[in-house]
Amino acid sequence: MASSDRLERLFNLTATLLATNRPLSAAEIRERVPGYPDDKATFRRAFERDKEALREMGVPLILEPIAGRQPAEEGYRIPPDQYELRDPGLDPDEIEALNFAASVVQLEGVSGLGAVWKLRSIASPATASDADGAAGHDRSADDRPGESDEVEAWDVGALPTNPHLVPFFVAVAERRPAVFAYNGQTRTVDPYRLDFVRGQWYLSGFDHLRHEERSYRLDRIAGTVELGPGASFDRPSTSIPGARLQPWELGSGEPQIARVLVDGDQAHLARQAVGNDAVIDERVDGSIVVELAVTNVGGLRSFVLGFLEHAEILEPPELRREMQRWLEAIVDRAKPRPRALRTSRSTRKRTAT
Amino acid sequence: MSRVTAGERLQRLLAIIPWVAAHDGPSIDEICERFEVKHNELVADLTLASMVGVYPFTPDELIEVIIDDGRVWVHYALSFDRPLRLTPEQALVLVAAGSGLLTVPGVDPDGPLARGLAKLARTLDVDADETIDIDLGLAPAAVLEQLQEASRLRLQVEIDYYSYGRDERTVRVVDPLRVSAQQGQWYLQAWDHLRGGERLFRVDRVRAVRRLESAFDRPAPSDGLASFVAEPDDSRVELELAPAARWVVDQYPVEAVEQLPGGRLRVTLAVGAQPWLERLLLRLGPDGLVIATSDDLASDVAAAAARRILARYEG
């Protein structure tokens, strides 16, 4: 059917279900809402599609028993208090800033347009108070921060999405435990936070299997995610930002304090990676000494080796020796010389060892 | 025909109606601009809205729409006086966009965006600081701003750049074509006068920027420039990886993967520059075994690099 006819029917359906003070059965809906086909089976199919469309838009369509019906019957309604966007009390410049953000930072495959329409729909408080002269707001809503040249300067690629992202966002907001498979095990997790770091989405939360806070890469979660009831746990006010952990911090136990010297040429990279607070010494030649709390020795080794011969572990002696042993083993292993491999793969020769 | 679905049109209309109703006859142009809708579509949708009613269709239950002299008035007795709530997707879009943009160096951490995001997050029952964190990429604020400005003004810059793959620092003149955040990193796409070609630079590896007064005139940069594209004549290395080193396959573009017994893998990788391979092998240690290398790579790359580093420890 034509888009306009369907729009009219959807609008009538929304209006009818919002205005009713008791749930309406499917038969009553067919009677009262103009635009539905007479044939029962055709009506059913059309009604199913309409319910789906309304739910996708965010319309809270609920199904509940109709009081006093014998035999028992269920009906539909839209509770007005659940339909409305709870007014966040945004000022016009705040609405425009959020709209601008949504135009710059996008989620791959998720349309932000509906969100922007809904925010723009909020009547600005400045308009109401203008009339009595009490407007204390500046009119910065008029100078849109979203004009073309600025958008060009803020060139941000769409963030990748993941099928589990929205369910986990709901789980974090509504404090619902999530059950999912990870590394071949079924986990029950109280989801605390979502992080997008180094191009990947992570979920952090309390893992009931491990009895500790953990983080999970969303793209490694296989299968479906099931959510439990809301308000099931309290979010700790200082949840550990799991994904923010550095490689040398992945691990438990008493941390060892390591000092690493990084040469001047690469000092700015080390500083960016560990943060200014970790820099305990700046030498005249531009090199720096950083202090790290290490719970994962392999992680520290990878970090330091990333600087090749431009960095070294100074302390403690055990970690310094561990690095030496690691490198010596690499030198020793290289003794039997590997075969040659041609550049072009088609002419590569293989010989049995 | 418009590609907007009936559901999207209804969503837009349900956003337009409360806003128009709260204002005294806004102009059609103003509504079109605010909700990004075409003039004829708006009039068609509003006309349709005026036909909506509720059984038994008494006049006081209809939406009244008046379009007169380029302005619109809406009066109604239905519950359309408030915007529709956000779907979880829409809430996520706004929160993720807001917190992502806030991490960009140079964005006012106490400005309208931060205030708006905090208010919105509160109504959604999420704490913008503690429940979601979007890191668009590390970058020194001053460097990022200088590059963005030079790119906008189309002025050449001289950058002091550390090439991680080659493990070398060079100063070069580039034409900054585009600064963008992709996959958790800030990149500068530029015409590189040192190498004579378009290159992608990581902004966090730019040590210093000096803006030159010389303007450049180049077409828009090509899309989809990858940070590393293997060339047929690049060096190749064939590695055998222990199960613990399978992350290599996730992290780097491997050209061939062969499953071996016991969860081991044999992979072929293109090597853009030797220091890159040195780091990889040093980190892998016993988990990565070099099976073969192309002629132009020394076969004991890892051992040679390990000896250079060991010299520091023995000195």
Side-chain angles (χ1 to χ4, degrees):
Chain A
M1 75 193 288
S3 167
S4 290
D5 293 344
R6 174 123 194 266
L7 171 63
E8 189 175 353
R9 191 177 75 202
L10 281 171
F11 204 162
N12 276 310
L13 177 64
T14 310
T16 303
L17 294 178
L18 260 174
T20 182
N21 41 25
R22 66 161 179 86
L24 297 176
S25 70
E28 287 168 323
I29 289 168
R30 182 160 61 118
E31 223 167 85
R32 296 182 182 201
V33 178
Y36 277 116
D38 289 331
D39 175 65
K40 223 170 172 181
T42 324
F43 161 72
R44 272 284 166 201
R45 278 199 301 277
F47 183 49
E48 285 305 315
R49 282 216 320 276
D50 286 358
K51 283 194 294 185
E52 187 56 37
L54 292 188
R55 287 194 172 121
E56 263 172 31
M57 291 165 47
V59 173
L61 185 62
I62 61 168
L63 180 64
E64 57 187 14
I66 307 170
R69 287 280 164 96
Q70 281 304 335
E73 202 181 356
E74 291 197 306
Y76 298 88
R77 70 183 182 96
I78 299 169
D81 57 327
Q82 288 179 37
Y83 169 92
E84 292 174 3
L85 176 66
R86 272 160 66 201
D87 187 357
L90 295 168
D91 290 334
D93 59 338
E94 295 165 354
I95 292 175
E96 284 318 303
L98 282 166
N99 285 337
F100 174 63
S103 72
V104 173
V105 183
Q106 300 183 346
L107 282 175
E108 225 168 55
V110 182
S111 166
L113 198 54
V116 170
W117 285 334
K118 287 173 184 176
L119 281 192
R120 290 233 164 107
S121 174
I122 300 172
S124 58
T127 316
S129 49
D130 274 350
D132 55 12
H137 302 278
D138 53 27
R139 302 308 304 261
S140 47
D142 295 334
D143 32 80
R144 297 269 182 80
E147 298 313 329
S148 55
D149 59 328
E150 233 173 311
V151 173
E152 216 169 284
W154 295 115
D155 189 347
V156 178
L159 304 179
T161 41
N162 176 288
H164 305 310
L165 193 56
V166 171
F168 280 138
F169 181 70
V170 170
V172 168
E174 297 177 0
R175 289 177 289 135
R176 297 167 67 170
V179 181
F180 54 87
Y182 197 81
N183 282 345
Q185 280 176 310
T186 303
R187 315 287 180 119
T188 302
V189 175
D190 296 345
Y192 293 159
R193 55 182 290 129
L194 283 167
D195 292 273
F196 179 74
V197 192
R198 295 182 287 269
Q200 291 291 344
W201 283 102
Y202 295 85
L203 173 79
S204 305
F206 184 83
D207 186 325
H208 288 270
L209 186 69
R210 306 278 181 191
H211 286 283
E212 62 182 357
E213 214 176 305
R214 291 256 171 153
S215 50
Y216 313 88
R217 242 175 83 167
L218 259 54
D219 62 344
R220 299 212 172 127
I221 293 173
T224 55
V225 175
E226 281 173 41
L227 302 187
S232 290
F233 57 87
D234 287 324
R235 231 171 2 233
S237 58
T238 51
S239 139
I240 308 165
R244 278 286 166 100
L245 287 179
Q246 301 275 16
W248 57 88
E249 296 169 337
L250 297 169
S252 48
E254 198 55 32
Q256 305 183 66
I257 303 302
R259 292 185 172 191
V260 177
L261 173 69
V262 182
D263 291 351
D265 266 3
Q266 319 230 334
H268 72 292
L269 293 172
R271 196 185 281 276
Q272 273 181 47
V274 303
N276 273 331
D277 294 347
V279 179
I280 57 161
D281 191 17
E282 288 177 59
R283 302 187 174 176
V284 266
D285 61 359
S287 61
I288 58 171
V289 177
V290 298
E291 197 169 81
L292 311 170
V294 178
T295 47
N296 185 315
V297 174
L300 174 72
R301 190 170 53 224
S302 285
F303 171 69
V304 177
L305 289 174
F307 296 100
L308 293 171
E309 67 268 36
H310 311 297
E312 67 183 280
I313 298 174
L314 297 176
E315 286 172 53
E318 310 84 72
L319 289 181
R320 189 176 161 86
R321 268 201 305 279
E322 196 276 343
M323 178 66 101
Q324 275 176 287
R325 276 198 297 272
W326 177 269
L327 293 169
E328 283 159 5
I330 290 172
V331 173
D332 288 345
R333 253 199 321 277
K335 293 297 146 64
R337 296 178 63 82
R339 294 167 289 117
L341 179 69
R342 292 274 173 82
T343 300
S344 165
R345 286 195 286 143
S346 55
T347 57
R348 186 203 307 161
K349 283 179 199 155
R350 282 177 187 276
T351 46
T353 316
Chain B
M1 259 324 276
S2 153
R3 277 164 290 122
V4 186
T5 67
E8 285 168 331
R9 279 174 70 188
L10 180 57
Q11 196 166 194
R12 185 172 65 198
L13 197 47
L14 290 178
I16 292 171
I17 287 173
W19 189 80
V20 173
H23 293 77
D24 181 24
S27 74
I28 290 181
D29 290 342
E30 195 181 348
I31 305 168
C32 288
E33 196 195 332
R34 187 171 184 91
F35 294 95
E36 290 161 50
V37 53
K38 290 200 198 82
H39 194 288
N40 57 343
E41 286 177 14
L42 177 71
V43 172
D45 287 0
L46 285 173
T47 308
L48 192 140
S50 70
M51 293 189 267
V52 166
V54 172
Y55 179 90
F57 305 105
T58 51
D60 60 323
E61 275 174 311
L62 294 172
I63 297 178
E64 187 187 11
V65 180
I66 300 162
I67 302 176
D68 185 31
D69 198 19
R71 295 171 70 189
V72 183
W73 287 264
V74 170
H75 308 284
Y76 51 89
L78 293 168
S79 315
F80 292 118
D81 57 337
R82 300 279 314 141
L84 176 57
R85 67 175 184 174
L86 297 167
T87 66
E89 284 87 353
Q90 291 166 344
L92 173 64
V93 163
L94 290 173
V95 173
S99 45
L101 196 56
L102 269 182
T103 64
V104 175
V107 171
D108 182 0
D110 304 310
L113 179 60
R115 291 196 305 270
L117 178 64
K119 287 181 186 175
L120 181 71
R122 219 175 298 129
T123 45
L124 298 170
D125 200 24
V126 293
D127 182 318
D129 286 335
E130 286 194 350
T131 56
I132 194 157
D133 193 5
I134 312 287
D135 188 356
L136 296 178
L138 280 172
V143 168
L144 187 62
E145 276 170 44
Q146 282 172 295
L147 291 175
Q148 281 175 328
E149 193 179 55
S151 165
R152 198 163 50 236
L153 300 172
R154 305 193 75 68
L155 288 174
Q156 291 188 319
V157 287
E158 186 184 79
I159 57 171
D160 179 349
Y161 188 70
Y162 172 67
S163 164
Y164 187 77
R166 295 172 193 274
D167 187 31
E168 67 183 13
R169 240 178 94 184
T170 42
V171 174
R172 62 185 93 197
V173 173
V174 301
D175 302 347
L177 301 172
R178 179 194 283 161
V179 179
S180 64
Q182 307 285 343
Q183 306 286 322
Q185 294 291 352
W186 282 97
Y187 290 100
L188 165 68
Q189 200 168 339
W191 181 270
D192 179 1
H193 289 272
L194 183 70
R195 309 263 180 234
E198 211 176 285
R199 290 283 186 283
L200 203 55
F201 300 91
R202 286 256 306 252
V203 174
D204 60 333
R205 294 180 186 150
V206 176
R207 214 179 141 97
V209 183
R210 194 165 66 86
R211 203 169 89 191
L212 307 175
E213 293 312 311
S214 41
F216 63 86
D217 181 24
R218 274 184 202 283
S222 49
D223 279 328
L225 191 63
S227 52
F228 173 69
V229 179
E231 303 285 344
D233 57 350
D234 276 338
S235 312
R236 295 288 191 283
V237 66
E238 193 176 311
L239 298 179
E240 196 176 308
L241 301 173
R246 294 179 78 100
W247 58 266
V248 171
V249 179
D250 291 341
Q251 198 120 345
Y252 301 113
V254 292
E255 298 187 330
V257 185
E258 190 187 335
Q259 305 278 346
L260 300 177
R264 297 179 70 85
L265 294 176
R266 184 168 300 179
V267 300
T268 305
L269 288 155
V271 180
Q274 185 166 316
W276 174 85
L277 179 61
E278 290 173 355
R279 283 191 195 91
L280 177 64
L281 294 174
L282 290 171
R283 285 170 171 167
L284 287 174
D287 289 338
L289 201 64
V290 177
I291 303 299
T293 58
S294 49
D295 301 337
D296 51 342
L297 282 175
S299 54
D300 60 343
V301 170
R307 278 193 212 98
R308 290 199 321 266
I309 303 171
L310 275 170
R312 281 193 83 128
Y313 284 80
E314 285 149 7

